[in-house]
Every structure is written in structure tokens, then in C-alpha cells.
Amino acid sequence: MGELTVDEVRTRVTDLLGELRERAQETEDLRKVHDESIKSLEAAGFFLLLQPARYGGLEADPVEFYRTVTDIASACGSTGWVASILGLHPWHLALFDDKAQREVWGEDKNARISSSYAPMGKAKIVEGGYRLSGRWSFSSGCDHATWVFLGGPVLDEENNPVDFCTYLLPIADYQIIDVWDTVGLRGTGSNDILVEDVFVPGHRVLSFKDMARCSGPGQEVNESPIYKLPYGTVHPSCITAPIIGMARGAYEAHVSYMGERVRAAYAGEQSKEDPFAKVRIAEAASEIDAAWLQLSRNVAEELELVRAGKTIPMPMRTRARRDQVRGTERSIAAIDRLFENSGGRALRNGTPIQRFWRDAHAGRVHAANDPERAYVLYGTGEFGLPVRDAMV
């Protein structure tokens, strides 16, 4: 049998969508992605898409990764969300010192990493590395990972912040605190991570300053152009992609439902004959398509520049952030329109439309989906002012 290809992964994932859809309610009830779903995605090769070839990965075009994420999320929002985040982290690890990569993948190319990048902890510089402490929230999929990325400032002797870094820790160095009980994305298991005065060696720490410059020690061994893309495009897009997928899932569920719905309040009129329902469906479809086209265009154009050996200009990077948050807004607007069009039976627990509605609105509150902040960054650049933000 030949080597696994991106097309084969996409085909295998497509074949899994039925079982992921069937497990959606159970995943929500479990408050984490079903173990069998993770096993199936691993067997399909999904988590290898953005992983370096040196460690068995495919170094896939990120657009193909995001496309596959939208497929997964169209079947189960929580599974798509976790798959996107866990599937993105091999790209991030590829930027680290190769010693860190060997520690994670040297014995198990399928080792997974969860994350919580928000600055909820702090580190002190010590000989050979850092001492890290804190409690981080929202580590999606942490029950399916054996490593974690944590964000936090570096403090000097006077407790002044001198850097902001990502710290990579093995599961032996942290505790998972089960706190996840929410109205949306209930199946993501986004629990807390507790770290108590742990030593993190320097090779397992990466500064956001380096990521803002699209650089990292891992680029010395991982030469694929995908590892030269801006973190501020690649990571936020992995937050929007599953929300676009949820909108597609809501659309498919809605159209199927409306094909059979009879409206008692309108003398037994069939919804599929209602012209106003057709208008709302068309509006939703347009918003979903626009969300995907904007997100995929920006990633594709940035990758094209990198492949040509060119620097990605800041206006393009701020446009990518602008369109990424706009993609989230468009997707949620589409789901809202479909939900309004679904009638009272859509409110019942267990129906796909209400689950997608809750999941998408839960995903909206992620920090990467703050529209005003992204729009201000874009506007700042348009006025010719310097843009300083690690997320671009």
C-alpha cells in the first residue's frame, strides 16, 4: 500500500460523517468528544494533515485542513471544534525546537496536544528554562491529549512582563480539572489545566514575538512553506472553520426538515412551497458560502506568497483577521436565519438545528472571534499606522 495522501484522508473523513452525526447527542451528553470518534479520526489520518513529514505527517495545504474541519463540524459541532484545535497543534509544534518535537513525536507520531493560550499563568526565568504556575481555562479536547500548550507572560525579578510565550508541558506536569458544563459546545470537554511551579526547559518554550515574525527554530528542520505562515492567520482560522461547518450542518438539517414540514398555523401549507422560507434559505446559503470563500482565499493567497519566497504584507495579514471574524459572524447569521425559519419543533432537545445553534454561539465567544478588535487592527493599517498584535 502506498503512502497516505491528503485526498485519501478527506475520503476517509467523509466516510466517517454518518457515525459522527449519530454520536452527536451522546458526545454532548458525555461533555467530551466520544473516544471512538477520536480513534476513527486518528485512523483516517486526520491529525497528520498539518504534521511535519519528518514525523509521519502530510504537511497539507491548510485550506484542505480547514475544508476537512468544516466537514467534521457539519456532522457534530463539538467534534469539529476539538478536531480543528487538536489538528492545528502539530503545525504549532513544528515551529518549536526539534528537541521538543522529538519529545512529543519521537515514540508516538499520534501524540496529541491540547491548549489554552490565554495569559492565565505566569513564568519566571531560571537556569535552563522557566518556572511556570497558573490555572488555565478552556482547554478543548484535553482528555484526548498527553501534552498541552499554555500561554503566559514571562516576568523579570521585579514581576514586570518581558515576553509572552507558549509553554509545552507533558501530562505528568499538569492536572485536568473537570469544570466543563455549558449551554453550547458541551461535547468539547474544554476543562481547566492546573500547573503548580513546574520547570519548563527552554527548548519547550516559544515566544509570541517569534511567531509574530513568522519564525521559529523549527523552521530549520521543517522547510515546508506552511510553517512560514502567520500564527495570526492559521490559529484564528481554526476557530472559524468549525463554525462555518456548523452552519453547513444546520443548513443541511434545516433543508431536510423543511422538505417534510407542514405548517399547521397556515392551514397545512407545506414549508417547501413557502416562498418566504425559500428566501431565508437562499440568504443563509449565501452567507455560508461567503464565509468560506473569504477564509480560504486569504489562507491560499498567503501561502502563494510564501511559496514564492515573498514576505506576507501586514495589510494582507490584517485582512485575513478581518475576514476570519467576519466568517464567524456570517455563519452565525446564517444559523440564526435558519433557526428562525424552523418553527417550534426545532426547539426540542436532540434536534440538530438547536444543537448547531447553541454550539455556534458558544464558539462565537472565543477570543479569536472578537470582531471589533480585528476590525480595529485592519483599520489601523489602512491609516498607515503600525499594527502591533501577536494575533496577526
Side-chain angles (χ1 to χ4, degrees), residues 139-195:
S139 188
S140 300
C142 58
D143 289 316
H144 301 291
T146 53
W147 293 78
V148 69
F149 285 133
L150 300 173
V154 179
L155 305 180
D156 62 17
E157 294 180 357
E158 286 75 38
N159 287 321
N160 297 312
V162 294
D163 200 354
F164 184 82
C165 296
T166 299
Y167 309 88
L168 172 65
L169 280 70
I171 195 168
D173 286 352
Y174 62 88
Q175 299 177 50
I176 298 174
I177 311 298
D178 187 352
V179 297
W180 192 246
D181 189 5
T182 56
V183 70
L185 292 175
R186 287 184 57 81
T188 61
S190 303
N191 287 305
D192 287 5
I193 302 294
L194 177 64
V195 175

Side-chain angles (χ1 to χ4, degrees), residues 3 66 70 72 84 96 148 157 174-175 177 199 212 216 244 246-247 257 288 297 305-306 321 340 356 362 372:
E3 294 184 359
Y66 298 128
T70 64
I72 297 168
S84 189
F96 278 68
V148 69
E157 294 180 357
Y174 62 88
Q175 299 177 50
I177 311 298
F199 174 72
I244 296 173
M246 295 171 208
Y257 166 64
I288 297 167
R297 175 197 68 167
L305 284 178
V306 172
R321 282 283 285 128
E340 293 164 3
F356 284 123
E372 289 79 13

